[in-house]
Amino acid sequence: GEDVKPFTPEKTKEIVMSLQQPAVFCNMVGDWPALHWNVKYLSAVLEGKTIQFRLGLRMVDLVPQFETSCSYVEATLEEFLAWSCGQPSCLSGPFSCYDYSKYWAYADYKYIARIFEDKPEIFQDVRWSDFGFPGRSGKESTLWIGSEGANTPCHLDSYGCNLVLQVQGRKRWHLFPPGDTSFLYPTRIPYEESSIFSKVNIANPDLKRFPEFRNSTAHVVTLSPGQVLLVPRHWWHYVESIDPVTVSINSWIELDADHEARVEEAITRMLVCAIKSAENPSDGDLWLNPTEVEATSHEINLQYLNKAVSAYLTCQETSVSGQACSSSTGAEQRTNSSCKRKRREVGCEPEGCTLLTQDCSTPKAEELQKIPFGPHLIQVLPQSHKTNVMGAVAVESDSTDLRENEGEHFGKLHCKRRRLLMSNDCETAAHQMDSSCSPCTPQTALSTNDLLDCLVNPRVISLVAQLLLERTGV
């Protein structure tokens, strides 16, 4: 018979848009063709097409392994499978330079619309319409393929909330509520638009340098194939692959609060680019994340800021007039409004920023029905304080090294990414760390990064954005 889902699309969307804590949906995607997207299947679909993999060390350090300290290779999924399965090095191509026992590999942020642009029929294998978002498919989704230990430093996304489908293997998620932000020591170096990183290595926290991390509360869940995780807005997350091969698909859902967040991001970009660009470029400070195309000029950044403010005002005016902010329904509009790195990846025009929200008003608590937690919607509960202080990854510590990250962007150039670090030599992953991240030598003088950490602290930027919007007469 027809697959009966535990929640209707309308009820599921209500949960997604109102729930302020992470939860796992079960039994919602049993009929999705995308559940068959294991690496072997995707390899056949891609027919030898190469994609970029990020390689990091399995060794757990006190310092987060930022993307600026990783190596990158272009390889096929066949070569990735051969490497991760321990087959002869002659079959693993560029991976043969990297000892599997020492490295992990991650093909992350792969936009399905881009890597399968010649096979658009595959987009329909992903059916976010079951979650209350009609027409949203694989075209508005991102693909993640990793080996055991693949991860990304702990961070929060400035825009939207996140729905994540686990397809192959398992991933362990370490989530921290927005209220823990100060305990996670936020930083914008390395700079990446819409991502605020934590200075703390969640897998091995340096409690001498970051003592307030003791006060954080980790919510940990292991996501298995067929389950969908909801990551609410501004929840910090650190994600690690715990099986030999993992495949995930996610989609970022736009929220009305993204309009103000875009103003804050534009202010942050302006400050970071202005101050870091004034430094001597030969000092070796890798401040720009590899996912950023370039350090844009002051003029371009000012345009971003003005467009962000304009979009915010438009939404405010619409809200005041009693009209709902319209959400995009056409495929092209939905692509333009997908979250996190979408602007950078597809080169959308900034004007698309004005039609982004699914709901213009945040539902009031009294208007919400009781969340139907049970076997089909599982709460992600906090860990005990003791377990958290000992290190969030102490739970089910069957993995050697442990880490994962997309929001609206303002018309970025979509030329080929400029790699800050490209290492093709065998066993030579670049592991240079930002001077502000050194765990050993005390600083005797303040650095540019010290100043920036204060200037672009989320609390400071939020205040500046409010003052700036007040100046516009809001």
Side-chain angles (χ1 to χ4, degrees), residues 159-464:
Y159 310 132
C161 61
N162 192 3
L163 288 173
V164 187
L165 165 65
Q166 193 62 27
V167 176
Q168 180 179 3
R170 296 168 300 154
K171 280 184 173 177
R172 187 175 294 118
W173 286 72
H174 309 258
L175 301 123
F176 300 85
D180 282 3
T181 292
S182 62
F183 306 146
L184 289 161
Y185 298 84
T187 182
R188 297 312 297 261
I189 304 295
Y191 173 73
E192 172 183 288
E193 187 179 333
S194 82
S195 291
I196 301 175
F197 292 104
S198 168
K199 291 181 181 179
V200 182
N201 185 350
I202 305 303
N204 188 23
D206 185 347
L207 296 179
K208 289 184 178 179
R209 188 168 177 224
F210 307 115
E212 289 298 310
F213 181 68
R214 290 184 176 91
N215 299 320
S216 66
T217 304
H219 297 236
V220 181
V221 62
T222 298
L223 199 65
S224 298
Q227 296 180 331
V228 175
L229 173 67
L230 165 64
V231 181
R233 180 176 187 263
H234 284 183
W235 273 71
W236 293 83
H237 48 286
Y238 170 94
V239 188
E240 47 175 320
S241 295
I242 60 174
D243 282 328
V245 175
T246 62
V247 176
S248 307
I249 298 170
N250 86 292
S251 191
W252 281 272
I253 307 301
E254 306 81 27
L255 301 172
D256 181 57
D258 293 349
H259 285 287
E260 186 169 347
R262 245 173 248 115
V263 175
E264 295 178 0
E265 282 298 296
I267 294 170
T268 301
R269 185 179 190 87
M270 207 168 182
L271 288 172
V272 173
C273 288
I275 293 176
K276 295 301 292 183
S277 298
E279 283 191 321
N280 184 348
S282 63
D283 64 4
D285 181 12
L286 301 172
W287 66 273
L288 194 66
N289 215 44
T291 50
E292 287 291 323
V293 175
E294 63 180 2
T296 44
S297 69
H298 182 79
E299 290 74 20
I300 292 294
N301 292 335
L302 188 58
Q303 289 179 30
Y304 290 164
L305 178 58
N306 277 285
K307 289 180 183 297
V309 170
S310 176
Y312 175 86
L313 295 177
T314 299
C315 187
Q316 289 296 102
E317 291 169 2
T318 304
S319 179
V320 169
S321 67
Q323 301 175 13
C325 284
S326 59
S327 62
S328 305
T329 54
E332 184 60 32
Q333 286 179 310
R334 285 191 305 275
T335 301
N336 288 354
S337 64
S338 292
C339 282
K340 192 119 162 70
R341 289 176 175 155
K342 178 60 72 178
R343 292 273 168 213
R344 169 170 49 242
E345 291 297 324
V346 300
C348 298
E349 292 301 318
E351 287 73 11
C353 291
T354 59
L355 295 173
L356 292 175
T357 58
Q358 293 292 339
D359 291 288
C360 195
S361 59
T362 302
K364 295 180 180 178
E366 59 269 23
E367 296 173 352
L368 299 174
Q369 297 181 21
K370 187 176 180 180
I371 300 297
F373 291 119
H376 306 297
L377 181 65
I378 302 170
Q379 297 183 67
V380 179
L381 298 174
Q383 281 187 310
S384 69
H385 177 70
K386 179 180 179 181
T387 304
N388 188 34
V389 170
M390 294 302 290
V393 291
V395 181
E396 300 180 47
S397 55
D398 51 323
S399 152
T400 341
D401 188 11
L402 318 163
R403 309 183 189 219
E404 180 165 77
N405 353 102
E406 271 213 338
E408 187 60 28
H409 283 66
F410 312 118
K412 290 201 172 180
L413 300 176
H414 57 284
C415 55
K416 185 179 177 71
R417 287 178 178 175
R418 175 168 57 89
R419 282 292 162 202
L420 299 180
L421 287 176
M422 285 286 286
S423 174
N424 293 319
D425 298 328
C426 295
E427 307 250 346
T428 57
H431 291 283
Q432 298 172 319
M433 293 298 172
D434 185 279
S435 59
S436 68
C437 295
S438 174
C440 43
T441 57
Q443 291 181 327
T444 56
L446 292 174
S447 68
T448 303
N449 289 351
D450 293 322
L451 174 62
L452 266 179
D453 272 341
C454 297
L455 282 177
V456 297
N457 183 284
R459 290 178 295 169
V460 176
I461 292 298
S462 178
L463 176 59
V464 173

